[in-house]
Amino acid sequence: MRLVILKEAAPGETRVALLPDAVKKLAGQGIEVVVEEGAGLSAGISDEAYGAAGAALGADRLNLLESADLLPVVNAPPTADQKRLKPGAVVTGFLKPLDDPAALQPAIDRGATLFATELVPRISRAQAMDALSSMATVAGYKAVIVAAERLAKLFPLLMTAAGTIPPAKVFVIGAGVAGLQAIATARRLGAVVEAYDVRAAAGEQVRSLGAKFLDVDLGGIATEDKGGYARELTEEALNRGRDLIAKACAYSDVVITTAQVPGRRAPLLIRRDAVKGMRLGSLIVDLAAPAGGNCELTRPGENIDHNGVTILAPLNLAATVPVHASQLYSRNVGNFLQLIVKEARLVLDFDDEILSGACVAHAGKIMNARVAAALETTK
């Protein structure tokens, strides 16, 4: 069995799917591991490090694609690469099967088995494979660092001979993994932090980090699904939250938004009028930008100034911290591979809820009902 690690093709992507410590374990099981030359350089990993871990190096990307039985990736391979996949190859990574299922059609036509890391169920046994949470942790941290660098104020309270400088006020929207990490990081930098989430249960976690939780009565509406993700809410429910959010934005120096619903456009929580009411020099970091953004004025991938309020809309913050992002991701993927590889043989047990939950396609057949429905809507 041959496992291939390629250099990521997506523009600006600096992460790599597996690091040498994971390669060493796989090679020790009798799996042939081949790494494309330069695959880990952006993440601080040399070709020599992979060689020392037991991997061979290859320069011919097309040959590597055509020979791979296992292909762990960070992002879905581009169309040209998918068309070169070995029939029956197993690909695992962030494949965006609910956001852009049609982009995976070439791999499906090749009979590849596709496992999407973002579909790994949130159960206790799968925590060590939860790459979505790992990358959200990195993004939540980096969002605060970016905000602190751009804000024309200091974050902490300072008492000096020249007078007292009050702490920055940070407002975090969405108390999932990214939001909680943003709260913790902003608190460490000395900011006063408030947070909002449609899930009232998130309040306890927010308060445990020393932040104030802003609660709103949604009339008993179910706000999360069985996997712990936020549900898509009605316009009435969203409006209740928007009113509270607008008031908090008006006195905040930094607003970090993280609210997303899997497979849906990110909910619009900050309207144009709310931005208009923000103070001159304040800023918004919209982590939901890849899904359209939580702010009405967000332009994904761009940084804009709207009447003195800066709106940052990064698309891949995790890639700006490639060393640790790759380290976490590699561990997630390595743990997942242990489920499907036994004694250097591929073993796909679809009775395992982790495999069945994460599988997008197998042997030319769509295995996930939500992906099948999403594909139908694109036709």
Side-chain angles (χ1 to χ4, degrees):
M1 175 179 290
R2 172 177 275 199
L3 183 148
V4 170
I5 303 170
L6 296 177
K7 184 175 182 178
E8 292 294 312
E13 185 56 74
T14 57
R15 294 168 292 176
V16 65
L18 288 177
L19 296 187
D21 57 348
V23 167
K24 186 174 183 179
K25 292 178 183 178
L26 293 164
Q29 297 175 29
I31 298 172
E32 179 188 6
V33 180
V34 185
V35 180
E36 182 181 9
E37 292 179 358
L41 291 180
S42 295
I45 307 299
S46 67
D47 290 341
E48 290 75 17
Y50 280 114
L57 296 173
D60 189 337
R61 185 182 182 89
L62 294 182
N63 177 267
L64 293 177
L65 277 165
E66 293 171 347
S67 67
D69 297 300
L70 288 174
L71 184 67
V73 296
V74 177
N75 304 291
T79 298
D81 285 358
Q82 291 185 39
K83 291 180 177 179
R84 293 280 187 169
L85 288 173
K86 182 178 182 179
V90 175
V91 182
T92 181
F94 285 116
L95 306 182
K96 297 184 178 179
L98 298 176
D99 301 306
D100 191 9
L104 299 174
Q105 195 61 56
I108 296 170
D109 292 341
R110 295 288 290 175
T113 297
L114 307 178
F115 289 108
T117 53
E118 57 265 66
L119 295 182
V120 170
R122 283 189 162 176
I123 59 176
S124 297
R125 193 165 63 89
Q127 285 183 343
M129 309 168 204
D130 188 356
L132 199 61
S133 290
S134 292
M135 297 305 100
T137 296
V138 176
Y141 163 84
K142 192 59 185 286
V144 176
I145 301 304
V146 169
E149 192 276 329
R150 293 291 296 260
L151 188 68
K153 294 183 176 182
L154 299 173
F155 263 44
L157 167 71
L158 293 180
M159 301 182 71
T160 75
T164 299
I165 295 177
K169 295 178 180 178
V170 175
F171 178 40
V172 178
I173 301 174
V177 175
L180 292 173
Q181 186 59 52
I183 292 168
T185 304
R187 288 281 295 146
R188 290 189 194 104
L189 291 179
V192 172
V193 184
E194 294 183 339
Y196 166 77
D197 194 290
V198 297
R199 301 164 298 162
E204 183 177 346
Q205 293 173 299
V206 168
R207 286 186 283 268
S208 72
L209 293 172
K212 179 181 178 181
F213 184 67
L214 304 181
D215 200 0
V216 64
D217 182 9
L218 296 179
I221 297 172
T223 57
E224 62 181 293
D225 60 23
K226 62 181 181 181
Y229 294 99
R231 287 181 181 270
E232 189 172 23
L233 299 182
T234 65
E235 195 65 16
E236 178 187 357
L238 286 172
N239 280 332
R240 294 189 187 185
R242 286 171 184 145
D243 292 341
L244 180 149
I245 287 169
K247 292 176 183 177
C249 287
Y251 57 75
S252 297
D253 299 302
V254 174
V255 179
I256 297 174
T257 76
T258 70
Q260 297 188 61
V261 178
R264 306 286 187 184
R265 193 212 180 281
L268 283 175
L269 299 176
I270 303 177
R271 293 295 196 186
R272 181 184 297 268
D273 287 346
V275 178
K276 183 178 179 180
M278 292 178 68
R279 294 189 291 200
L280 189 69
S282 57
L283 62 89
I284 297 171
V285 183
D286 195 339
L287 291 187
N294 293 140
C295 177
E296 186 176 3
L297 298 174
T298 290
R299 296 178 191 168
E302 298 182 31
N303 299 335
I304 65 171
D305 182 292
H306 183 78
N307 297 329
V309 177
T310 301
I311 304 172
L312 310 180
L315 296 178
N316 190 1
L317 269 184
T320 67
V321 195
V323 172
H324 284 144
S326 295
Q327 186 179 100
L328 293 172
Y329 186 71
S330 175
R331 291 171 182 170
N332 294 143
V333 173
N335 288 329
F336 183 83
L337 291 177
Q338 290 181 21
L339 286 183
I340 63 175
V341 178
K342 309 292 183 183
E343 298 179 355
R345 292 176 55 250
L346 187 64
V347 179
L348 300 179
D349 177 13
F350 289 113
D351 288 330
D352 186 318
E353 62 181 318
I354 297 177
L355 296 191
S356 62
C359 188
V360 175
H362 173 64
K365 179 183 177 182
I366 303 297
M367 301 289 284
N368 185 286
R370 288 190 296 167
V371 175
L375 272 173
E376 281 297 318
T377 62
T378 64
K379 293 181 180 179

